[in-house]
C-alpha cells in the first residue's frame, strides 16, 4: 500500500507551479513501544478527557481550544476562527529564496519529508524546479502549513524527487552562551593535539548508517524475550567512569589501543546489521536477534498473559 501523504498542495517558483504531495521521510513505528498497565489487574490504562473542576468526562464535540491569559482565565478560539487565519502556505509552498546548504545552522533542522508530484500532471514543472535546485547546488527556502502551524521548509534535490526539511524559527532556538560561558579556557598543547589527531586519523571512515545498531532497542528485545520464557531478570553491573588524572598518558594509551584495533584481523563472516530491517526481523519470532540458549527450543507453556520478574 502506498504511503499516505501528510500534506497535498502546490509547489511554486515564480510563475511555475505544480501539484505536489509531502510524505514523512522517517518513521519510529519500528521501535518497541510500551503500554501502561494496572499493576494489580494487568489491564491497560485508559485516558479520559475530564473537566478539571467537576471531574466529569467531556465529549470531543464539547471541547474547544483556549489560550490562557491569567490563571483560570482563557480566551476561547473556535475551529472556524482558526480557519479564517488560513495562510497561502496552507495550500502552496512558495519558494522565497535560495541559500547555500552550509548557511543553515544544524540547530534549525527539525525533520525531513519527501516531496513528489501529486498525480499524473505537473511532472514537467516539478522536474524544472528540481533540476534548477540541483544544478545551482542551492537549497530552496519556502513555507508550508502542517499541523495547523506554518513552518519554514528547506528543499533539496534527491534522486527524482525533493527532500523537504522543516526548520525552526529563531525564537525556538536557544543561545549557547548560557551553557558555554562557564566552560574554562584551557590551553591545549601541540603534543596533545598531535596525539589526538593521530587517534582521529586511525579511526577515520565514511559515514554509513547501515553500520550502526540501536543497542538499546536490541537490549529491549532481549529483555522481552527473556521475560517471555520466564527467565529471572537480574540487574547488570553498570560500567564505571574513570577520572583521567594524566591526560597525556591517556592519549598515548589511546593511540596504542587504536593501533592494536586496526591491526587485529576482522572476521569476514560478520556483517554489519542493517538498521532499516533489524527491528522487524528481531521481533518476528520474538526470539531476538540470536536464538536464546535457555528455553528457545521449547515452546513456553500456556499461562497468564502478564509476567513479572
Amino acid at each position: 500500500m502506498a504511503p499516505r501523504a501528510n500534506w497535498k498542495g502546490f509547489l511554486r517558483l515564480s510563475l511555475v507551479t505544480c501539484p505536489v504531495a509531502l510524505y514523512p521521510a522517517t518513521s519510529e513505528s519500528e521501535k518497541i513501544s510500551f503500554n501502561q498497565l494496572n499493576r494489580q489487574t494487568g489491564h491497560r490504562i485508559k485516558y479520559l478527557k475530564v473537566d478539571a473542576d467537576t471531574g466529569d468526562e467531556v465529549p470531543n464535540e464539547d471541547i474547544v481550544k483556549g489560550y490562557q491569559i491569567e490563571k483560570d482565565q482563557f480566551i476561547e478560539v473556535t475551529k472556524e476562527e482558526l480557519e479564517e487565519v488560513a495562510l497561502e502556505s496552507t495550500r502552496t509552498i512558495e519558494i522565497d529564496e535560495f541559500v547555500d546548504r552550509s548557511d543553515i545552522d544544524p540547530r534549525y533542522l527539525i525533520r525531513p519529508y519527501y516531496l513528489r508530484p501529486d498525480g499524473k500532471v505537473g511532472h514537467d514543472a516539478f522536474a524544472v524546479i528540481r533540476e534548477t535546485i540541483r544544478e545551482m547546488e542551492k537549497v530552496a527556502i519556502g513555507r508550508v502549513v502542517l499541523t495547523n502551524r506554518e513552518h519554514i521548509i528547506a528543499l533539496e534535490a534527491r534522486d527524482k524527487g525533493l527532500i523537504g526539511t522543516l526548520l525552526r524559527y529563531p525564537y525556538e532556538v536557544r543561545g549557547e552562551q548560557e551553557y558555554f560561558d562557564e566552560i574554562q579556557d584551557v590551553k591545549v598543547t601541540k603534543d596533545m593535539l598531535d596525539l589526538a589527531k593521530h587517534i582521529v586519523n586511525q579511526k577515520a571512515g565514511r559515514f554509513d548508517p547501515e553500520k550502526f545498531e540501536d543497542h538499546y532497542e536490541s537490549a529491549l528485545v532481549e529483555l522481552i524475550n527473556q521475560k517471555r520464557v520466564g527467565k529471572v531478570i537480574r540487574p547488570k553491573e553498570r560500567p564505571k567512569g574513570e577520572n583521567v588524572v594524566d591526560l597525556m598518558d591517556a592519549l598515548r594509551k589511546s593511540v596504542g589501543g587504536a593501533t592494536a584495533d586496526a591491526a587485529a584481523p576482522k572476521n569476514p563472516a560478520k556483517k554489519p546489521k542493517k538498521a532499516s530491517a533489524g527491528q522487524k526481523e528481531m521481533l518476528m519470532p520474538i526470539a531476538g536477534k540470536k536464538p536464546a540458549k535457555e528455553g528457545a527450543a521449547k515452546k513456553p507453556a500456556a499461562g497468564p498473559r502478564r509476567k513479572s520478574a
Side-chain angles (χ1 to χ4, degrees):
M1 182 181 293
R4 181 181 177 184
N6 277 30
W7 179 92
K8 289 187 176 183
F10 297 89
L11 175 63
R12 183 164 64 203
L13 172 61
S14 189
L15 299 178
V16 180
T17 305
C18 60
V20 292
L22 201 65
Y23 300 85
T26 60
S27 171
E28 296 194 355
S29 62
E30 298 294 317
K31 289 188 174 182
I32 290 177
S33 60
F34 293 100
N35 294 298
Q36 291 186 323
L37 307 177
N38 182 335
R39 185 193 298 273
Q40 303 299 326
T41 65
H43 300 158
R44 289 181 59 182
I45 299 298
K46 182 180 179 181
Y47 286 94
L48 301 176
K49 296 179 179 179
V50 300
D51 188 297
D53 291 336
T54 67
D56 298 331
E57 185 176 355
V58 182
N60 286 333
E61 59 268 23
D62 290 338
I63 297 177
V64 297
K65 294 182 182 294
Y67 178 79
Q68 183 171 339
I69 52 175
E70 292 183 21
K71 186 178 179 180
D72 297 328
Q73 288 191 354
F74 301 87
I75 296 178
E76 291 187 9
V77 181
T78 67
K79 181 180 178 181
E80 292 72 25
E81 289 171 334
L82 288 174
E83 289 176 351
E84 288 297 320
V85 187
L87 305 169
E88 186 178 5
S89 50
T90 304
R91 293 289 299 158
T92 303
I93 299 176
E94 176 82 42
I95 296 177
D96 296 324
E97 61 177 346
F98 294 86
V99 302
D100 292 332
R101 183 66 177 82
S102 58
D103 289 345
I104 302 177
D105 189 319
R107 294 176 298 175
Y108 287 82
L109 304 177
I110 302 179
R111 72 181 68 90
Y113 288 86
Y114 292 131
L115 197 71
R116 73 180 190 190
D118 184 30
K120 297 181 179 180
V121 299
H123 285 249
D124 291 345
F126 183 87
V128 169
I129 296 173
R130 180 196 65 214
E131 292 309 307
T132 301
I133 295 173
R134 193 195 312 275
E135 290 295 322
M136 298 295 291
E137 297 183 349
K138 295 286 187 179
V139 176
I141 303 296
R143 287 158 287 119
V144 63
V145 170
L146 287 174
T147 60
N148 298 322
R149 298 300 295 263
E150 186 177 58
H151 299 271
I152 310 168
I153 188 167
L155 302 174
E156 302 175 78
R158 170 65 65 90
D159 194 27
K160 295 191 295 182
L162 292 171
I163 290 282
T165 305
L166 297 189
L167 304 179
R168 294 181 175 88
Y169 287 98
Y171 69 82
E172 298 177 282
V173 177
R174 294 176 176 177
E176 68 275 9
Q177 291 79 12
E178 60 181 307
Y179 305 98
F180 295 167
D181 280 351
E182 295 182 6
I183 298 177
Q184 299 178 10
D185 293 324
V186 177
K187 178 66 176 177
V188 179
T189 67
K190 183 179 182 304
D191 289 342
M192 288 184 176
L193 200 56
D194 287 343
L195 283 170
K197 288 180 179 179
H198 187 64
I199 296 170
V200 171
N201 289 330
Q202 289 176 316
K203 292 180 174 291
R206 183 177 179 274
F207 178 73
D208 179 9
E210 298 292 339
K211 295 187 301 185
F212 298 102
E213 176 189 355
D214 189 336
H215 295 99
Y216 182 72
E217 194 77 1
S218 299
L220 286 179
V221 172
E222 185 177 357
L223 171 66
I224 292 171
N225 289 336
Q226 290 178 350
K227 290 182 71 70
R228 188 172 182 177
V229 298
K231 189 173 180 179
V232 177
I233 306 300
R234 293 183 174 85
K236 297 179 181 178
E237 185 178 352
R238 294 181 179 272
K240 298 178 180 179
E242 297 180 0
N243 186 30
V244 177
V245 178
D246 190 331
L247 184 56
M248 197 67 180
D249 183 56
L251 285 168
R252 289 194 185 99
K253 289 180 179 178
S254 297
V255 170
T259 304
D261 290 341
K266 296 182 180 179
N267 183 3
K270 188 175 182 180
K271 296 181 179 180
K273 289 183 173 63
K274 290 186 177 180
S276 58
Q279 188 53 50
K280 278 191 175 179
E281 290 176 358
M282 285 192 289
L283 284 177
M284 286 290 284
I286 207 156
K289 53 183 179 178
K290 51 187 177 183
K293 294 181 179 179
E294 298 178 19
K298 292 193 299 181
K299 186 177 180 181
R305 294 177 60 190
R306 184 167 59 102
K307 290 181 178 287
S308 59

